[in-house]
Amino acid sequence: MRRALIIAATLLTTIVLRAADDAGARWWAHVEALANDGMEGRNTGSAGHKRAADYVAAQFRSAALEPAGAGGGFIQPVAFDTRKIDESKSSLALVRDGADERLALGEDANISVRVDPAASLEAPLVFVGYGLKIPERGIDDFAGVDLHGAVVVHIAATPKSLPGPLQAHFGSAGERWKMYKAAGAVGVVSVANPKSMDIPWARSTLARLQPAMSLADRSLSETAGQQLSVTMNPAHADKLFAGSGHTFAELLALVDAGRPVPSFTLRPRLKARVAVERAQVESQNVAGILRGSDPRLRDEYVVLSAHLDHLGIGGAINGDSIYNGAMDNASGVAAILEVADALHRAAAKPKRSILFVAVTGEEKGELGSLYFAAHPPVGRERIVANVNTDMFLPLFPLKTLMVLGLDESDLGADIRAAARELGLEVQADPEPQRNRFVRSDQYSFIKVGIPALAMKVGYEPNSPEAAIAARWTAERYHAPSDDLNQPVDRGAAAKYVEVVTKLAVRIANRTDRPKWNDASFFKRFGRNSTAKFFNS
Ligand SMILES: [Zn+2]
């Protein structure tokens, strides 16, 4: 009898393990399908991205989802304007005492065409420290300087005294431009803090010749009116500060110490000439619905999202020019495909509907999700929550789940309960200064008032796992080596899929709709503020 029990227990363990193995293997098969060289890095608007979108649509169909795209299909087309800089006809110079000092493009500074730049511009440069004006927090980096007609120079950092979500929100390019525009500025020079750069200059500069994109739907533009966007190599930033009585090192030390940073007009003016090749492309969001079972709740939706696009083909590193984006973010799309499949195989009948969407244009500024949130295939007020997966990094076993937005809404209780069932710890973002809560597609939903969470495989600060994650970021993030030849932990991916599945069902079965916590900063983006946000 006892022997039989032991055999039965062993058998059960084996079955459970095998199921996890299978889920991990299926997840990896999706990653392989989306991140192989034939997909050419899934750049927004590319043929490779279209093939990847067709793959996702086919998987949605086999998971018996209802099409939620255009014309009865799974695909929602998204139109983009593209801009590509012609560096041979573009230039940047510092004008000092009437003499031009050329800045070497690619080396000293890069012109970003993520904003639609003016063909030429000459303007004073005004340094504004963190570059923030947040009256409700008593922060005004613009005090005592005149920004009318000026190009703002800021260090891409936020004061440590601000709570993480506020650092994340106000540090975003769109929010910054709102402040600069209101103060009369015409352009922005951003100098990275070398300590918080995810990508070293030598690598990020390789991407500068890639086309940048904006939504053809101009009403969704967050940078309207911005005539110039420049990123300055922090190693060469003293070219800006020469003659000001300040050095970049000294200013950076204030930032690193969390101290106030002075604002002052810089000695040189900035002269820019920008030649741009413009075109239009179409790309794809892919959307499908697992229809809910409750007659009262089935017209409400829990959105599970992950971005499908990556960087395409770009500057070669070690002879490889295909930026496959296996972890960023084939891994996340593979996870939601596996969630859809798991629910289908289990014949799950959640009360609310679950809307799966693979979005395009994340790498261009979360544009596919912005479009989706502005033009959802179901009424926006019917979307009750968003759970986003972007680069969840299953590089080691999943024991702790990192939850971005954990303490912002009552979805925190849902994820804590789902994690508990699987014996997982949860943690809030251990590095709020990296602005991760607003740096992916969940933010497009947050901005229209929808409570959201995003999750990753977590780690304790200063642990061996933290070192693995940091090394991954330094070596593979936005590099061609984020490909199929890297060590991943399929067991961690399987467990991640399990917790997202549980969470989605749990939210779908709630009696009430999720809501922001009263103390949450993000509560201000109520549903009534939608129009205001999109037209501002
Ligand atoms: Zn990315």
Side-chain angles (χ1 to χ4, degrees):
M1 177 64 192
R2 186 158 153 225
R3 208 181 129 81
L5 271 179
I6 291 171
I7 291 171
T10 313
L11 204 62
L12 191 66
T13 312
T14 314
I15 291 168
V16 169
L17 285 177
R18 178 98 26 88
D21 280 359
D22 290 351
R26 282 192 303 267
W27 168 81
W28 181 249
H30 292 312
V31 175
E32 286 182 320
L34 295 168
N36 68 76
D37 281 355
M39 293 295 179
E40 299 175 322
R42 307 184 308 281
N43 197 18
T44 299
S46 70
H49 186 284
K50 172 74 166 61
R51 285 194 291 279
D54 289 340
Y55 175 84
V56 172
Q59 297 302 315
F60 280 176
R61 186 169 293 115
S62 62
L65 300 187
E66 274 175 35
F74 290 96
I75 291 190
Q76 177 187 50
V78 186
F80 291 88
D81 293 330
T82 75
R83 290 178 293 275
K84 190 172 176 340
I85 189 166
D86 181 348
E87 276 194 353
S88 69
K89 294 179 190 147
S90 303
S91 62
L92 280 179
L94 298 174
V95 186
R96 224 183 278 268
D97 305 323
D100 283 10
E101 173 192 335
R102 277 293 268 269
L103 294 176
L105 296 179
E107 182 59 34
D108 291 324
N110 288 327
I111 299 169
S112 164
V113 288
R114 195 170 267 197
V115 307
D116 197 356
S120 69
L121 177 90
E122 186 177 340
L125 286 167
V126 180
F127 178 69
V128 288
Y130 297 100
L132 301 175
K133 180 170 179 173
I134 314 172
E136 70 192 77
R137 308 294 301 194
I139 293 176
D140 187 1
D141 292 331
F142 308 164
V145 288
D146 181 8
L147 296 184
H148 283 96
V151 170
V152 164
V153 179
H154 72 85
I155 297 179
T158 41
K160 294 195 178 94
S161 59
L162 281 182
L166 273 70
Q167 291 190 40
H169 175 73
F170 288 113
S172 70
E175 287 307 310
R176 283 179 176 279
W177 177 245
K178 276 187 207 165
M179 300 177 215
Y180 303 153
K181 186 180 177 182
V186 294
V188 181
V189 174
S190 178
V191 191
N193 181 345
K195 290 209 180 68
S196 57
M197 273 170 102
D198 277 343
I199 302 178
W201 179 265
R203 185 175 337 137
S204 65
T205 198
L206 288 175
R208 73 189 190 279
L209 303 177
Q210 292 272 350
M213 297 190 186
S214 49
L215 290 167
D217 182 345
R218 292 290 173 98
S219 71
L220 301 180
S221 170
E222 293 182 280
T223 56
Q226 186 170 345
Q227 298 180 40
L228 183 69
S229 171
V230 169
T231 52
M232 186 81 196
N233 182 349
H236 298 192
D238 273 323
K239 295 192 176 196
L240 299 171
F241 295 102
S244 72
H246 297 274
T247 65
F248 182 55
E250 162 215 329
L251 298 163
L252 205 52
L254 294 174
V255 167
D256 288 337
R259 307 252 317 271
V261 181
S263 299
F264 48 88
T265 301
L266 295 167
R267 284 289 302 282
R269 292 164 67 83
L270 182 70
K271 196 158 88 176
R273 229 161 35 99
V274 190
V276 177
E277 295 159 13
R278 291 176 169 80
Q280 278 89 41
V281 295
E282 188 174 287
S283 195
Q284 303 83 29
N285 289 334
V286 194
I289 294 168
L290 169 62
R291 185 56 64 187
S293 58
D294 183 299
R296 280 184 317 110
L297 296 176
R298 60 187 303 170
D299 292 327
E300 293 186 357
Y301 299 83
V302 178
V303 173
L304 296 192
S305 57
H307 78 86
L308 178 62
D309 66 301
H310 191 59
L311 302 172
I313 296 173
I317 296 178
N318 298 329
D320 187 359
S321 60
I322 301 178
Y323 288 63
N324 305 82
M327 293 301 104
D328 184 11
N329 181 38
S331 69
V333 175
I336 67 168
L337 291 178
E338 191 46 31
V339 171
D341 197 41
L343 291 170
H344 178 50
R345 279 181 284 112
K349 297 266 178 283
K351 291 181 178 170
R352 289 188 180 80
S353 298
I354 300 177
L355 170 50
F356 295 82
V357 59
V359 292
T360 190
E362 191 275 344
E363 304 288 3
K364 313 296 179 189
E366 296 137 31
L367 298 179
S369 56
L370 190 66
Y371 186 83
F372 188 84
H375 305 287
V378 300
R380 192 190 297 135
E381 67 292 342
R382 295 178 181 277
I383 299 176
V384 303
N386 170 241
V387 176
N388 188 52
T389 299
D390 185 2
M391 229 172 70
F392 69 101
L393 289 188
L395 304 176
F396 35 79
L398 173 54
K399 294 180 183 139
T400 303
L401 192 67
M402 184 196 300
V403 183
L404 310 181
L406 179 63
D407 300 315
E408 302 299 331
S409 72
D410 62 7
L411 291 172
D414 291 307
I415 188 56
R416 284 180 203 278
R420 199 179 310 120
E421 279 183 53
L422 295 173
L424 298 173
E425 302 286 325
V426 298
Q427 64 174 177
D429 189 353
E431 300 164 279
Q433 71 281 7
R434 287 176 66 195
N435 292 345
R436 283 183 287 208
F437 192 45
V438 307
R439 272 178 55 185
S440 189
D441 294 301
Q442 66 273 6
Y443 203 43
S444 296
F445 294 93
I446 292 169
K447 284 189 288 195
V448 295
I450 298 167
L453 293 178
M455 299 180 298
K456 292 173 185 273
V457 176
Y459 45 82
E460 295 307 317
N462 306 314
S463 62
E465 289 80 14
I468 293 171
R471 217 178 85 196
W472 187 92
T473 304
E475 292 174 2
R476 297 187 192 265
Y477 177 57
H478 282 198
S481 57
D482 177 13
D483 62 10
L484 298 175
N485 300 309
Q486 62 181 310
V488 296
D489 188 320
R490 294 183 198 185
K495 191 132 235 178
Y496 182 87
V497 165
E498 219 182 329
V499 76
V500 175
T501 308
K502 275 193 188 301
L503 174 64
V505 171
R506 206 182 157 88
I507 302 170
N509 288 342
R510 281 173 60 135
T511 48
D512 60 340
R513 292 172 69 126
K515 47 196 169 304
W516 293 106
N517 295 337
D518 279 336
S520 174
F521 169 79
F522 299 104
K523 196 181 177 194
R524 70 186 59 198
F525 305 117
R527 282 152 199 273
N528 301 336
S529 72
T530 303
K532 199 173 99 218
F533 165 74
F534 279 124
N535 298 323
S536 61

